[in-house]
mmCIF file with all atom_site columns, all heavy atoms in Angstrom:
data_model
loop_
_atom_site.group_PDB
_atom_site.id
_atom_site.type_symbol
_atom_site.label_atom_id
_atom_site.label_alt_id
_atom_site.label_comp_id
_atom_site.label_asym_id
_atom_site.label_entity_id
_atom_site.label_seq_id
_atom_site.pdbx_PDB_ins_code
_atom_site.Cartn_x
_atom_site.Cartn_y
_atom_site.Cartn_z
_atom_site.occupancy
_atom_site.B_iso_or_equiv
_atom_site.pdbx_formal_charge
_atom_site.auth_seq_id
_atom_site.auth_comp_id
_atom_site.auth_asym_id
_atom_site.auth_atom_id
_atom_site.pdbx_PDB_model_num
ATOM 1   N N   . LEU U 1 5  ? 32.323 188.023 84.617 1.00 42.00 ? 378 LEU U N   1
ATOM 2   C CA  . LEU U 1 5  ? 31.821 187.010 85.573 1.00 42.00 ? 378 LEU U CA  1
ATOM 3   C C   . LEU U 1 5  ? 31.214 185.822 84.912 1.00 42.00 ? 378 LEU U C   1
ATOM 4   O O   . LEU U 1 5  ? 31.415 184.663 85.296 1.00 42.00 ? 378 LEU U O   1
ATOM 5   C CB  . LEU U 1 5  ? 30.790 187.693 86.535 1.00 42.00 ? 378 LEU U CB  1
ATOM 6   C CG  . LEU U 1 5  ? 31.393 188.523 87.664 1.00 42.00 ? 378 LEU U CG  1
ATOM 7   C CD1 . LEU U 1 5  ? 30.273 189.328 88.371 1.00 42.00 ? 378 LEU U CD1 1
ATOM 8   C CD2 . LEU U 1 5  ? 32.135 187.637 88.614 1.00 42.00 ? 378 LEU U CD2 1
ATOM 9   N N   . LEU U 1 6  ? 30.355 186.080 83.860 1.00 44.00 ? 379 LEU U N   1
ATOM 10  C CA  . LEU U 1 6  ? 29.741 184.990 83.141 1.00 44.00 ? 379 LEU U CA  1
ATOM 11  C C   . LEU U 1 6  ? 30.786 184.065 82.527 1.00 44.00 ? 379 LEU U C   1
ATOM 12  O O   . LEU U 1 6  ? 30.662 182.866 82.492 1.00 44.00 ? 379 LEU U O   1
ATOM 13  C CB  . LEU U 1 6  ? 28.804 185.549 82.091 1.00 44.00 ? 379 LEU U CB  1
ATOM 14  C CG  . LEU U 1 6  ? 27.509 186.152 82.606 1.00 44.00 ? 379 LEU U CG  1
ATOM 15  C CD1 . LEU U 1 6  ? 26.770 186.870 81.465 1.00 44.00 ? 379 LEU U CD1 1
ATOM 16  C CD2 . LEU U 1 6  ? 26.618 185.068 83.240 1.00 44.00 ? 379 LEU U CD2 1
ATOM 17  N N   . GLU U 1 7  ? 31.847 184.728 81.953 1.00 54.00 ? 380 GLU U N   1
ATOM 18  C CA  . GLU U 1 7  ? 32.869 183.968 81.324 1.00 54.00 ? 380 GLU U CA  1
ATOM 19  C C   . GLU U 1 7  ? 33.642 183.087 82.323 1.00 54.00 ? 380 GLU U C   1
ATOM 20  O O   . GLU U 1 7  ? 33.939 181.961 82.052 1.00 54.00 ? 380 GLU U O   1
ATOM 21  C CB  . GLU U 1 7  ? 33.891 184.945 80.668 1.00 54.00 ? 380 GLU U CB  1
ATOM 22  C CG  . GLU U 1 7  ? 34.910 184.246 79.748 1.00 54.00 ? 380 GLU U CG  1
ATOM 23  C CD  . GLU U 1 7  ? 34.298 183.672 78.515 1.00 54.00 ? 380 GLU U CD  1
ATOM 24  O OE1 . GLU U 1 7  ? 33.322 184.176 78.049 1.00 54.00 ? 380 GLU U OE1 1
ATOM 25  O OE2 . GLU U 1 7  ? 34.859 182.676 78.017 1.00 54.00 ? 380 GLU U OE2 1
ATOM 26  N N   . LEU U 1 8  ? 33.882 183.655 83.510 1.00 43.00 ? 381 LEU U N   1
ATOM 27  C CA  . LEU U 1 8  ? 34.589 182.926 84.519 1.00 43.00 ? 381 LEU U CA  1
ATOM 28  C C   . LEU U 1 8  ? 33.755 181.755 84.990 1.00 43.00 ? 381 LEU U C   1
ATOM 29  O O   . LEU U 1 8  ? 34.255 180.620 85.254 1.00 43.00 ? 381 LEU U O   1
ATOM 30  C CB  . LEU U 1 8  ? 34.916 183.833 85.733 1.00 43.00 ? 381 LEU U CB  1
ATOM 31  C CG  . LEU U 1 8  ? 36.076 184.824 85.554 1.00 43.00 ? 381 LEU U CG  1
ATOM 32  C CD1 . LEU U 1 8  ? 36.119 185.799 86.708 1.00 43.00 ? 381 LEU U CD1 1
ATOM 33  C CD2 . LEU U 1 8  ? 37.369 184.038 85.454 1.00 43.00 ? 381 LEU U CD2 1
ATOM 34  N N   . MET U 1 9  ? 32.422 181.949 85.137 1.00 49.00 ? 382 MET U N   1
ATOM 35  C CA  . MET U 1 9  ? 31.526 180.888 85.556 1.00 49.00 ? 382 MET U CA  1
ATOM 36  C C   . MET U 1 9  ? 31.474 179.772 84.539 1.00 49.00 ? 382 MET U C   1
ATOM 37  O O   . MET U 1 9  ? 31.490 178.571 84.881 1.00 49.00 ? 382 MET U O   1
ATOM 38  C CB  . MET U 1 9  ? 30.068 181.440 85.792 1.00 49.00 ? 382 MET U CB  1
ATOM 39  C CG  . MET U 1 9  ? 30.014 182.285 87.044 1.00 49.00 ? 382 MET U CG  1
ATOM 40  S SD  . MET U 1 9  ? 28.410 183.145 87.169 1.00 49.00 ? 382 MET U SD  1
ATOM 41  C CE  . MET U 1 9  ? 27.304 181.695 87.377 1.00 49.00 ? 382 MET U CE  1
ATOM 42  N N   . ARG U 1 10 ? 31.456 180.148 83.215 1.00 55.00 ? 383 ARG U N   1
ATOM 43  C CA  . ARG U 1 10 ? 31.416 179.145 82.203 1.00 55.00 ? 383 ARG U CA  1
ATOM 44  C C   . ARG U 1 10 ? 32.731 178.313 82.194 1.00 55.00 ? 383 ARG U C   1
ATOM 45  O O   . ARG U 1 10 ? 32.676 177.085 82.037 1.00 55.00 ? 383 ARG U O   1
ATOM 46  C CB  . ARG U 1 10 ? 31.281 179.831 80.833 1.00 55.00 ? 383 ARG U CB  1
ATOM 47  C CG  . ARG U 1 10 ? 31.016 178.886 79.640 1.00 55.00 ? 383 ARG U CG  1
ATOM 48  C CD  . ARG U 1 10 ? 30.612 179.647 78.433 1.00 55.00 ? 383 ARG U CD  1
ATOM 49  N NE  . ARG U 1 10 ? 31.738 180.392 77.896 1.00 55.00 ? 383 ARG U NE  1
ATOM 50  C CZ  . ARG U 1 10 ? 32.711 179.867 77.085 1.00 55.00 ? 383 ARG U CZ  1
ATOM 51  N NH1 . ARG U 1 10 ? 32.665 178.590 76.774 1.00 55.00 ? 383 ARG U NH1 1
ATOM 52  N NH2 . ARG U 1 10 ? 33.705 180.591 76.674 1.00 55.00 ? 383 ARG U NH2 1
ATOM 53  N N   . MET U 1 11 ? 33.859 179.019 82.358 1.00 53.00 ? 384 MET U N   1
ATOM 54  C CA  . MET U 1 11 ? 35.125 178.256 82.420 1.00 53.00 ? 384 MET U CA  1
ATOM 55  C C   . MET U 1 11 ? 35.169 177.341 83.643 1.00 53.00 ? 384 MET U C   1
ATOM 56  O O   . MET U 1 11 ? 35.746 176.267 83.595 1.00 53.00 ? 384 MET U O   1
ATOM 57  C CB  . MET U 1 11 ? 36.251 179.292 82.451 1.00 53.00 ? 384 MET U CB  1
ATOM 58  C CG  . MET U 1 11 ? 36.459 180.013 81.124 1.00 53.00 ? 384 MET U CG  1
ATOM 59  S SD  . MET U 1 11 ? 37.849 181.122 81.192 1.00 53.00 ? 384 MET U SD  1
ATOM 60  C CE  . MET U 1 11 ? 39.230 179.968 81.276 1.00 53.00 ? 384 MET U CE  1
ATOM 61  N N   . SER U 1 12 ? 34.583 177.798 84.772 1.00 57.00 ? 385 SER U N   1
ATOM 62  C CA  . SER U 1 12 ? 34.599 176.992 85.932 1.00 57.00 ? 385 SER U CA  1
ATOM 63  C C   . SER U 1 12 ? 33.849 175.681 85.717 1.00 57.00 ? 385 SER U C   1
ATOM 64  O O   . SER U 1 12 ? 34.198 174.598 86.118 1.00 57.00 ? 385 SER U O   1
ATOM 65  C CB  . SER U 1 12 ? 33.993 177.759 87.084 1.00 57.00 ? 385 SER U CB  1
ATOM 66  O OG  . SER U 1 12 ? 33.896 176.957 88.259 1.00 57.00 ? 385 SER U OG  1
ATOM 67  N N   . ARG U 1 13 ? 32.671 175.803 85.021 1.00 57.00 ? 386 ARG U N   1
ATOM 68  C CA  . ARG U 1 13 ? 31.854 174.617 84.674 1.00 57.00 ? 386 ARG U CA  1
ATOM 69  C C   . ARG U 1 13 ? 32.616 173.640 83.812 1.00 57.00 ? 386 ARG U C   1
ATOM 70  O O   . ARG U 1 13 ? 32.626 172.442 83.974 1.00 57.00 ? 386 ARG U O   1
ATOM 71  C CB  . ARG U 1 13 ? 30.520 175.007 84.004 1.00 57.00 ? 386 ARG U CB  1
ATOM 72  C CG  . ARG U 1 13 ? 29.481 175.514 84.996 1.00 57.00 ? 386 ARG U CG  1
ATOM 73  C CD  . ARG U 1 13 ? 28.116 175.426 84.329 1.00 57.00 ? 386 ARG U CD  1
ATOM 74  N NE  . ARG U 1 13 ? 28.011 176.238 83.119 1.00 57.00 ? 386 ARG U NE  1
ATOM 75  C CZ  . ARG U 1 13 ? 27.745 177.534 83.009 1.00 57.00 ? 386 ARG U CZ  1
ATOM 76  N NH1 . ARG U 1 13 ? 27.483 178.187 84.134 1.00 57.00 ? 386 ARG U NH1 1
ATOM 77  N NH2 . ARG U 1 13 ? 27.659 178.153 81.830 1.00 57.00 ? 386 ARG U NH2 1
ATOM 78  N N   . ILE U 1 14 ? 33.386 174.194 82.790 1.00 51.00 ? 387 ILE U N   1
ATOM 79  C CA  . ILE U 1 14 ? 34.182 173.371 81.872 1.00 51.00 ? 387 ILE U CA  1
ATOM 80  C C   . ILE U 1 14 ? 35.239 172.642 82.673 1.00 51.00 ? 387 ILE U C   1
ATOM 81  O O   . ILE U 1 14 ? 35.467 171.434 82.459 1.00 51.00 ? 387 ILE U O   1
ATOM 82  C CB  . ILE U 1 14 ? 34.745 174.250 80.767 1.00 51.00 ? 387 ILE U CB  1
ATOM 83  C CG1 . ILE U 1 14 ? 33.620 174.738 79.863 1.00 51.00 ? 387 ILE U CG1 1
ATOM 84  C CG2 . ILE U 1 14 ? 35.842 173.453 80.013 1.00 51.00 ? 387 ILE U CG2 1
ATOM 85  C CD1 . ILE U 1 14 ? 34.142 175.776 78.825 1.00 51.00 ? 387 ILE U CD1 1
ATOM 86  N N   . CYS U 1 15 ? 35.886 173.339 83.585 1.00 51.00 ? 388 CYS U N   1
ATOM 87  C CA  . CYS U 1 15 ? 36.971 172.719 84.410 1.00 51.00 ? 388 CYS U CA  1
ATOM 88  C C   . CYS U 1 15 ? 36.409 171.591 85.238 1.00 51.00 ? 388 CYS U C   1
ATOM 89  O O   . CYS U 1 15 ? 37.003 170.538 85.344 1.00 51.00 ? 388 CYS U O   1
ATOM 90  C CB  . CYS U 1 15 ? 37.615 173.774 85.315 1.00 51.00 ? 388 CYS U CB  1
ATOM 91  S SG  . CYS U 1 15 ? 38.694 174.928 84.399 1.00 51.00 ? 388 CYS U SG  1
ATOM 92  N N   . ARG U 1 16 ? 35.225 171.815 85.846 1.00 57.00 ? 389 ARG U N   1
ATOM 93  C CA  . ARG U 1 16 ? 34.612 170.749 86.659 1.00 57.00 ? 389 ARG U CA  1
ATOM 94  C C   . ARG U 1 16 ? 34.258 169.558 85.775 1.00 57.00 ? 389 ARG U C   1
ATOM 95  O O   . ARG U 1 16 ? 34.449 168.368 86.216 1.00 57.00 ? 389 ARG U O   1
ATOM 96  C CB  . ARG U 1 16 ? 33.368 171.312 87.345 1.00 57.00 ? 389 ARG U CB  1
ATOM 97  C CG  . ARG U 1 16 ? 33.652 172.230 88.555 1.00 57.00 ? 389 ARG U CG  1
ATOM 98  C CD  . ARG U 1 16 ? 32.448 172.319 89.437 1.00 57.00 ? 389 ARG U CD  1
ATOM 99  N NE  . ARG U 1 16 ? 31.279 172.838 88.776 1.00 57.00 ? 389 ARG U NE  1
ATOM 100 C CZ  . ARG U 1 16 ? 31.002 174.169 88.680 1.00 57.00 ? 389 ARG U CZ  1
ATOM 101 N NH1 . ARG U 1 16 ? 31.779 175.064 89.254 1.00 57.00 ? 389 ARG U NH1 1
ATOM 102 N NH2 . ARG U 1 16 ? 29.869 174.566 88.021 1.00 57.00 ? 389 ARG U NH2 1
ATOM 103 N N   . MET U 1 17 ? 33.767 169.788 84.559 1.00 55.00 ? 390 MET U N   1
ATOM 104 C CA  . MET U 1 17 ? 33.441 168.650 83.662 1.00 55.00 ? 390 MET U CA  1
ATOM 105 C C   . MET U 1 17 ? 34.675 167.883 83.256 1.00 55.00 ? 390 MET U C   1
ATOM 106 O O   . MET U 1 17 ? 34.695 166.654 83.265 1.00 55.00 ? 390 MET U O   1
ATOM 107 C CB  . MET U 1 17 ? 32.731 169.219 82.387 1.00 55.00 ? 390 MET U CB  1
ATOM 108 C CG  . MET U 1 17 ? 31.298 169.670 82.669 1.00 55.00 ? 390 MET U CG  1
ATOM 109 S SD  . MET U 1 17 ? 30.629 170.525 81.247 1.00 55.00 ? 390 MET U SD  1
ATOM 110 C CE  . MET U 1 17 ? 30.595 169.199 80.036 1.00 55.00 ? 390 MET U CE  1
ATOM 111 N N   . VAL U 1 18 ? 35.754 168.623 82.960 1.00 47.00 ? 391 VAL U N   1
ATOM 112 C CA  . VAL U 1 18 ? 36.978 167.974 82.595 1.00 47.00 ? 391 VAL U CA  1
ATOM 113 C C   . VAL U 1 18 ? 37.565 167.115 83.744 1.00 47.00 ? 391 VAL U C   1
ATOM 114 O O   . VAL U 1 18 ? 37.971 165.981 83.599 1.00 47.00 ? 391 VAL U O   1
ATOM 115 C CB  . VAL U 1 18 ? 38.078 168.978 82.101 1.00 47.00 ? 391 VAL U CB  1
ATOM 116 C CG1 . VAL U 1 18 ? 39.439 168.367 81.960 1.00 47.00 ? 391 VAL U CG1 1
ATOM 117 C CG2 . VAL U 1 18 ? 37.603 169.638 80.797 1.00 47.00 ? 391 VAL U CG2 1
ATOM 118 N N   . LEU U 1 19 ? 37.495 167.790 84.962 1.00 51.00 ? 392 LEU U N   1
ATOM 119 C CA  . LEU U 1 19 ? 38.020 167.071 86.122 1.00 51.00 ? 392 LEU U CA  1
ATOM 120 C C   . LEU U 1 19 ? 37.194 165.775 86.411 1.00 51.00 ? 392 LEU U C   1
ATOM 121 O O   . LEU U 1 19 ? 37.738 164.728 86.720 1.00 51.00 ? 392 LEU U O   1
ATOM 122 C CB  . LEU U 1 19 ? 37.896 167.985 87.349 1.00 51.00 ? 392 LEU U CB  1
ATOM 123 C CG  . LEU U 1 19 ? 38.456 167.451 88.701 1.00 51.00 ? 392 LEU U CG  1
ATOM 124 C CD1 . LEU U 1 19 ? 39.935 167.094 88.543 1.00 51.00 ? 392 LEU U CD1 1
ATOM 125 C CD2 . LEU U 1 19 ? 38.215 168.456 89.807 1.00 51.00 ? 392 LEU U CD2 1
#
Side-chain angles (χ1 to χ4, degrees):
L378 279 171
L379 287 171
E380 189 68 29
L381 286 171
M382 288 171 65
R383 189 171 69 83
M384 289 181 69
S385 176
R386 281 199 302 273
I387 291 172
C388 287
R389 286 199 299 271
M390 287 171 63
V391 170
L392 182 61

